[in-house]
Amino acid sequence: METNPLSLIIKEKTLGNLVTNAKDIKAYVEEKLKEYSVDNYTGDAKQAAKDKAEINAAIKTLNDRRIALEKEWNMPFAEFKNIISETCDMMKTASGKLDVIVKAREEEEKAQKKAQIIELWNGKNFNLVTLDRIFNAKWLNKTTKLAAVDTEIDTIIKNITGDLASLDAFGEDTAILKDLYLSTLNLQQTLNKGAELKANRERLAQLEAEKKAREEKEKAENETFGIQEEETKEPENTPVEDTYNVNFETREVEKVAPKQAAPAAATGGTIYTFNVFGNENEIDTVRAIADEMGLEIIPGITLKGNARQIATFKELLTDNGIGYDKTAIINLAAKRID
């Protein structure tokens, strides 16, 4: 029967036998301590100091002897212990060198297996995601068979395809959600995003519908009362006559150079009717300016009221055979220039 050269064999073992008077010393000290108590000590302070020094010296001598004897006693085992420790260190060094060889071989085997997995993946003709996106490190273990890897890859491809198909139900958000899913491969996260997009779209549609309803309601009310938005500025083709600056306090009129050369009447442009309203002094000044420019002053009246009053007023005009026309009318409010 062969013996393992690394198995420790005890060829001889003799347990030491140490005979001393240590117990006698201990018994003597126990008895002597009775004399050294505060109640029983008969000497004075000087004698106590002398006895204390003798006891401390005895303690050091006794302990030093114990340490020396312990080293002598342990020397055979210490030598044995050192030999075993040095031997284990040498064996660890050898193990480390062998580990480099073992790991190099393992990496080579993993590289070969990964190449087989890549070939297996390429044969699936599935390009929606790359292999690294779904790769599992456990596939490289010796205990994981290539057939098991093949089955797992098929399952992953089937799940991805099924998840993408389930996103078709989101309609206009489908493209965005599929892109998100292919970036994360997390269906639950993608579904949460889909629900968020849908909720946002519904809120926006509701706001738009509410806005449209308000506008239609306002339009209907305006039509009911016969109110239309007034034109607040002249059309782009409005002919520009001579322009005047008016100081309403002094009623002085200053003519300003016209921005366009020809007056409306000379060019055949549209003739506008201006309705100017203000206080009595302002109206007098406006009338003076109109006379100066040769503008025709048309008799009229300016009324002020709320929508219902204006609507009723229009009905009464119609009842009395009076119509009205807003074509080419511009309303101007005279203001004081400071």
Side-chain angles (χ1 to χ4, degrees), residues 145-165:
K145 303 301 180 182
L146 195 61
V149 176
D150 188 17
T151 301
E152 193 168 343
I153 289 177
D154 286 340
T155 300
I156 292 174
I157 292 176
K158 181 180 178 181
N159 290 339
I160 292 176
T161 303
D163 290 344
L164 289 172

Side-chain angles (χ1 to χ4, degrees), residues 101-119:
I101 299 174
V102 172
K103 287 185 176 179
R105 178 56 183 168
E106 289 177 350
E107 291 301 320
E108 182 180 350
E109 291 176 349
K110 286 183 178 181
Q112 292 175 355
K113 191 171 186 181
K114 187 171 183 178
Q116 292 175 321
I117 295 174
I118 292 175
E119 183 178 358

Side-chain angles (χ1 to χ4, degrees), residues 79-183:
E79 180 182 2
F80 161 77
K81 181 179 178 180
N82 289 337
I83 292 173
I84 295 300
S85 296
E86 292 173 359
T87 302
C88 288
D89 290 341
M90 289 164 43
M91 294 169 67
K92 289 178 182 178
T93 301
S95 176
K97 293 179 179 180
L98 293 174
D99 185 60
V100 174
I101 299 174
V102 172
K103 287 185 176 179
R105 178 56 183 168
E106 289 177 350
E107 291 301 320
E108 182 180 350
E109 291 176 349
K110 286 183 178 181
Q112 292 175 355
K113 191 171 186 181
K114 187 171 183 178
Q116 292 175 321
I117 295 174
I118 292 175
E119 183 178 358
L120 190 66
W121 171 261
N122 291 337
K124 305 296 182 181
N125 294 320
F126 186 77
N127 56 8
L128 289 180
V129 296
T130 55
L131 176 60
D132 61 289
R133 297 286 311 286
I134 55 99
F135 194 85
N136 193 331
K138 75 174 185 178
W139 292 347
L140 300 179
N141 295 339
K142 290 182 178 181
T143 55
T144 304
K145 303 301 180 182
L146 195 61
V149 176
D150 188 17
T151 301
E152 193 168 343
I153 289 177
D154 286 340
T155 300
I156 292 174
I157 292 176
K158 181 180 178 181
N159 290 339
I160 292 176
T161 303
D163 290 344
L164 289 172
S166 68
L167 297 176
D168 289 333
F170 283 88
E172 59 187 281
D173 296 327
T174 294
I176 296 175
L177 296 178
K178 285 186 176 181
D179 183 65
L180 173 62
Y181 174 77
L182 291 177
S183 298

Side-chain angles (χ1 to χ4, degrees), residues 241-246 252-258 292-293:
E241 301 288 350
D242 291 338
T243 304
Y244 293 80
N245 286 337
V246 182
E252 293 180 356
V253 181
E254 176 187 357
K255 186 173 183 179
V256 181
E292 178 71 20
M293 294 179 60

